[in-house]
Amino acid sequence: MDAATEHRVQNNTPDFRDTKYEMIAILDFGSQYGQLIARRVREHNVYSRICRADISAEELSRLPLKGLILSGGPASVYDENAPRCDERIFDLNVPILGICYGMQLGCQILGAKIARAESHEYGRTSLTMLDNNDLFANMPDSTTVWASHGDQIGELGDDFIRLAATKTCPFAAVRHNSKKFFGVQFHPEVSHTPKGPLILQNFLYDICQCTGDWQMSNFVGETVQAVRERVGDATVICGLSGGVDSSVVASLVHEAIGDQLICIFVDNGLLRKNEREHVVSTFRDHFRIDLRVVDWADQFLTALKRVTDPQEKRKIIGAEFIKAFKSAASKITNAKFLAQGTLYPDVIESGSKDGNPAASIKLHHNVGGLPAELGFELIEPLRDLFKDEVRIVGEYLGLPEDMVWRHPFPGPGLGVRIIGDVTPQRLQTLRAADEILIDEIKSAGLYRRIAQALAVLVPVATVGVMGDERSYENVIAIRAVETSDFMTADFSQIPYDVLGIISSRIINEVRGVNRVVYDVSSKPPATIEWE
């Protein structure tokens, strides 16, 4: 079994080599944004897939290929173990767009010199256009782009044409004279590059001559068929949390195999207020799915006692989740598969297992969380998607609006929203504050604008005055962000009067809280969750 087939079988994705849709292949050099590029391409109704950086030109030539994109990555082209591509891809006669590291590698292969930049570019910078044709057609003379690089082109050579520059990067975008190669030293795929969609549109439609023959409904149909073929007559267990991801997975798998799906909901004692009742009502009444509830709250809280390190919390929660799951799964016959709502940001932030050098940021207990001794094979049909794409799938499957647009809630629950020790009393405090926060942003009509809102219990007591007496109570931090892909995010500019109501209600209604603060950091450098 070759690597592409093995990945397809393990992750339940259709064999892209057999697709009838025109296709853009993304060669992944370890970028944090690798799958985000694929998502942006799909937004333009063009089918895209991630490939290993070293995929052969022969295998690529067998695809319905319209173009290639070389992703960014953390390496330098001069590093001893820097990822490389098959240099024969430049003879495939399809357009190639190199982004950041992909630009540097392509330019180096085609004769340019790469050097360490005197001034590194990280974050927003101003790009000046020198050529408004092809890749930059219909672009303004100057625009903001998002850069993140230490190397850049030092000597361009006579075979390239300079297309754009920044203050510290004279060759911020280039085109080869004879090869169909374009390179940009910034990231058009991230939301912080406002004209990025236009740049990609120019590449896909004007340069690659794509027609846009792919829709998200194609993904649903192909995935349902792939699940049905893989599962056969076996039983699939779905780890259901009630969030968007697991809800969509449950619906998608149920569409494929019906009553062969059994959902397990683990009450870990770290849930929001009334969460268990909502999940049971929704999935037994709406989906008519066989739902088994496992009450494991005491075991989780006992294992977490006096544990303060966030990574250790995640490990413990993941381990207890597996124990609870084993307890319920042992009562189910013919169970061969486990369906999980793993998304691509989970995979990226947890680090890769297949040689991709993307850095590990934090553990996600649903990524590779089931050890081999459980005997289950994983089905992760959403593994290549981002949150907003999952919502599109949910809408296509006919899920209720309040379920599809529900804010993300972490698998470890409130355990990673309590900084420090997790206790029943602290959980009670945070549940009450969290309920007020969600109620008020809904009342203000902000819930759909905000991508994720959360309350965090901070392990700091501050002095206050309550009832003419000195108080020394807890601090609640409020976090709300706006994002389309959850790879980058800006803090939400909630109106001061709404923040004032939230603060007043929490301080007056939640026992033991005398101060509320608002988090105004963006991602990066901060993550969305605090732990």
Side-chain angles (χ1 to χ4, degrees):
M1 184 182 295
D2 63 23
T5 302
E6 184 178 3
H7 175 83
R8 175 176 61 86
V9 171
Q10 288 178 350
N11 295 296
N12 194 52
T13 53
D15 189 343
F16 61 82
R17 293 170 297 184
D18 297 332
T19 183
K20 63 181 180 293
Y21 306 108
E22 59 189 12
M23 176 182 166
I24 298 292
I26 293 96
L27 274 58
D28 187 5
F29 294 95
S31 172
Q32 293 285 343
Y33 303 132
Q35 184 68 15
L36 182 52
I37 301 171
R39 174 189 173 278
R40 296 300 187 207
V41 172
R42 294 196 297 263
E43 282 182 344
H44 288 92
N45 297 328
V46 177
Y47 188 64
S48 62
R49 291 297 300 178
I50 297 288
C51 301
R52 289 186 63 92
D54 59 358
I55 186 173
S56 69
E58 286 82 3
E59 186 166 2
L60 287 170
S61 69
R62 294 194 290 270
L63 304 175
L65 201 63
K66 299 292 287 186
L68 289 168
I69 297 178
L70 312 184
S71 83
S76 167
V77 293
Y78 294 115
D79 289 346
E80 182 178 353
N81 296 316
R84 307 286 295 185
C85 63
D86 184 343
E87 296 186 8
R88 295 172 297 169
I89 66 173
F90 294 94
D91 297 322
L92 289 175
N93 199 35
V94 296
I96 300 175
L97 174 63
I99 296 175
C100 200
Y101 178 87
M103 173 195 184
Q104 296 162 14
L105 180 61
C107 288
Q108 183 193 51
I109 290 171
L110 296 174
K113 303 295 184 182
I114 310 303
R116 180 66 64 180
E118 292 185 7
S119 298
H120 296 181
E121 285 186 322
Y122 296 108
R124 291 181 175 89
T125 189
S126 180
L127 182 76
T128 300
M129 304 300 161
L130 306 174
D131 186 329
N132 288 87
N133 298 305
D134 300 324
L135 193 64
F136 295 138
N138 301 312
M139 290 280 289
D141 292 336
S142 179
T143 187
T144 299
V145 297
W146 182 267
S148 180
H149 65 95
D151 291 352
Q152 63 187 36
I153 297 176
E155 297 179 23
L156 190 59
D158 296 332
D159 290 329
F160 289 89
I161 297 172
R162 190 163 67 120
L163 303 181
T166 70
K167 184 177 180 180
T168 61
C169 183
F171 308 115
V174 301
R175 179 180 72 238
H176 195 270
N177 273 321
S178 58
K179 303 286 186 181
K180 296 180 180 180
F181 176 74
F182 296 79
V184 293
Q185 193 56 77
F186 56 89
H187 291 274
E189 71 273 22
V190 302
S191 58
H192 298 305
T193 300
K195 293 296 182 180
L198 177 57
I199 295 171
L200 291 175
Q201 177 180 301
N202 288 339
F203 178 71
L204 296 172
Y205 285 92
D206 297 338
I207 297 172
C208 296
Q209 297 294 299
C210 293
T211 60
D213 64 350
W214 187 81
Q215 303 285 340
M216 185 56 73
S217 57
N218 302 131
F219 167 85
V220 174
E222 291 171 354
T223 302
V224 165
Q225 183 62 29
V227 170
R228 188 176 294 137
E229 290 177 357
R230 184 180 177 199
V231 169
D233 60 359
T235 296
V236 176
I237 298 174
C238 179
L240 186 62
S241 69
V244 178
D245 309 333
S246 64
S247 300
V248 172
V249 165
S251 181
L252 196 61
V253 175
H254 192 254
E255 180 83 8
I257 61 170
D259 292 342
Q260 292 170 240
L261 172 69
I262 296 176
C263 290
I264 295 176
F265 175 76
V266 175
D267 184 348
N268 58 13
L270 307 171
L271 305 174
R272 282 173 161 170
K273 190 173 181 180
N274 300 321
E275 183 79 9
R276 175 172 172 168
E277 294 78 6
H278 173 73
V279 170
V280 170
S281 172
T282 298
F283 286 90
R284 284 184 179 161
D285 297 343
H286 180 82
F287 288 110
R288 307 294 181 185
I289 286 176
D290 186 352
L291 174 64
R292 316 284 175 91
V293 177
V294 184
D295 191 345
W296 211 263
D298 289 344
Q299 290 91 326
F300 275 93
L301 293 179
T302 298
L304 287 169
K305 193 171 183 179
R306 289 187 289 275
V307 176
T308 60
D309 179 79
Q311 291 290 68
E312 189 63 24
K313 283 184 185 178
R314 289 177 179 271
K315 290 178 181 177
I316 290 171
I317 292 169
E320 287 300 325
F321 178 81
I322 291 170
K323 291 178 186 177
F325 226 94
K326 288 179 72 173
S327 173
S330 65
K331 302 177 179 67
I332 300 172
T333 60
N334 198 31
K336 183 180 179 182
F337 299 95
L338 174 71
Q340 288 192 155
T342 308
L343 304 191
Y344 192 75
D346 300 337
V347 177
I348 284 295
E349 290 188 340
S350 296
S352 176
K353 298 178 293 183
D354 59 2
N356 185 321
S360 176
I361 298 171
K362 62 182 178 182
L363 287 176
H364 289 264
H365 80 283
N366 64 332
V367 180
L370 285 176
E373 65 263 22
L374 278 180
F376 291 133
E377 295 180 35
L378 282 179
I379 292 179
E380 299 177 306
L382 308 181
R383 188 182 177 93
D384 289 336
L385 301 185
F386 286 81
K387 182 69 71 174
D388 58 326
E389 292 182 308
V390 173
R391 296 191 199 281
I392 294 173
V393 172
E395 288 181 331
Y396 181 82
L397 292 169
L399 298 184
E401 181 179 353
D402 62 342
M403 183 183 297
V404 172
W405 290 98
R406 188 181 185 208
H407 286 185
F409 188 64
L414 299 179
V416 291
R417 292 181 177 176
I418 293 176
I419 310 302
D421 197 14
V422 179
T423 66
Q425 179 57 50
R426 301 189 82 203
L427 281 165
Q428 182 178 344
T429 299
L430 184 57
R431 281 194 188 99
D434 174 83
E435 183 182 36
I436 291 170
L437 168 64
I438 301 302
D439 281 350
E440 289 302 329
I441 64 173
K442 284 182 176 178
S443 296
L446 299 174
Y447 191 78
R448 285 282 294 271
R449 193 191 85 187
I450 295 170
Q452 186 169 348
L454 57 134
V456 179
L457 182 58
V458 181
V460 173
T462 66
V463 174
V465 178
M466 304 182 79
D468 293 328
E469 293 183 357
R470 179 184 183 274
S471 67
Y472 196 58
E473 304 285 5
N474 293 297
V475 176
I476 290 288
I478 300 299
R479 174 84 158 136
V481 299
E482 296 178 17
T483 178
S484 62
D485 50 54
F486 289 84
M487 295 298 287
T488 61
D490 288 317
F491 71 88
S492 183
Q493 299 186 33
I494 297 177
Y496 289 146
D497 59 337
V498 177
L499 286 174
I501 293 171
I502 294 169
S503 175
S504 177
R505 281 197 60 194
I506 290 175
I507 291 172
N508 283 289
E509 298 176 30
V510 180
R511 188 178 183 86
V513 176
N514 69 355
R515 191 179 301 271
V516 175
V517 297
Y518 188 55
D519 181 347
V520 294
S521 52
S522 295
K523 177 186 179 180
T527 54
I528 294 174
E529 296 284 346
W530 275 38
E531 288 195 341

